[in-house]
Amino acid sequence: MPRPGTTAETYVAYGMTQKLFEACSSQADYSIPQATQKGAQVPKTEAGEDLGVGEGWWYEDHFSHNAEHRMDVLHGFTSRTIRNKFLKDLFIQWRGVLAAYDEGIVKGDAVLGAAIWRNLWKASHTGPDGKELDWTKIARVVAYMRRVTSELSQVSEADLISQLCQQTGDKPSIFGYSELDKRLVQGKR
């Protein structure tokens, strides 16, 4: 490792945070395959929002770059002024989401579940398919967040990147989906 205070320190820090961002964002990655196909129609929700194909279980400086890239490449926002407006909105929303989740982590599962419902399901009683919302999905997300928070608290800062990406036998990485999350919601150990 380079000596602290050297020019390389900035690049090492950026490289490490990039790896951390990639490990975390892989849980909520999405793409819009039609965006790269000439003349293809991008699917939309009933509200007119672009509908991507999600990968992974979920969805700071890296986030802004990635969001701006996706606005340009996947959604066709070529104007930097428009992208900057959306980036400012995303930043405000991000701060609100963090505050809501922090409050839920401190105050309990009901408050955390309400924050998840507002932020992931847009406070709707129906899912994206128009059917009645399956509330066990929210409970699974709460269980997932509690498990991940607990596991992260046991990892030293120096080992964080390797632990996030590491899968041991049948046990997934910290952010990976675990059957334990499902069993916790069902009341089984």
Side-chain angles (χ1 to χ4, degrees), residues 48-131:
E49 300 164 335
D50 290 348
L51 189 58
V53 178
E55 297 174 15
W57 224 67
W58 284 105
Y59 244 10
E60 161 83 17
D61 50 56
H62 297 290
F63 175 80
S64 296
H65 294 294
N66 192 277
E68 185 172 14
H69 172 77
R70 288 177 185 214
M71 285 179 207
D72 182 22
V73 174
L74 299 178
H75 300 281
F77 296 152
T78 56
S79 168
R80 183 153 183 95
T81 305
I82 293 173
R83 289 194 310 261
N84 282 339
K85 178 194 175 305
F86 280 109
L87 286 172
K88 286 177 186 174
D89 289 347
L90 278 173
F91 180 70
I92 291 167
Q93 292 170 9
W94 176 73
R95 288 184 6 206
V97 165
L98 287 182
Y101 292 160
D102 285 350
E103 179 186 34
I105 286 173
V106 171
K107 290 188 176 177
D109 289 350
V111 176
L112 183 57
I116 290 164
W117 175 60
R118 284 190 314 271
N119 289 295
L120 295 182
W121 278 271
K122 300 178 184 179
S124 176
H125 293 285
T126 60
D129 57 2
K131 295 179 182 175

Side-chain angles (χ1 to χ4, degrees), residues 156-175:
S156 72
E157 206 173 300
D159 294 332
L160 184 59
I161 301 271
S162 64
Q163 288 291 317
L164 290 176
C165 301
Q166 182 179 6
Q167 183 169 344
T168 312
D170 289 343
K171 186 177 186 238
S173 66
I174 290 176
F175 286 119

Side-chain angles (χ1 to χ4, degrees), residues 109-161:
D109 289 350
V111 176
L112 183 57
I116 290 164
W117 175 60
R118 284 190 314 271
N119 289 295
L120 295 182
W121 278 271
K122 300 178 184 179
S124 176
H125 293 285
T126 60
D129 57 2
K131 295 179 182 175
E132 181 69 25
L133 179 62
D134 180 0
W135 294 92
T136 60
K137 291 180 179 179
I138 293 171
R140 283 186 191 158
V141 175
V142 169
Y144 170 83
M145 290 177 80
R146 292 282 183 207
R147 179 186 54 80
V148 168
T149 303
S150 174
E151 290 181 19
L152 283 173
S153 71
Q154 299 170 26
V155 177
S156 72
E157 206 173 300
D159 294 332
L160 184 59
I161 301 271

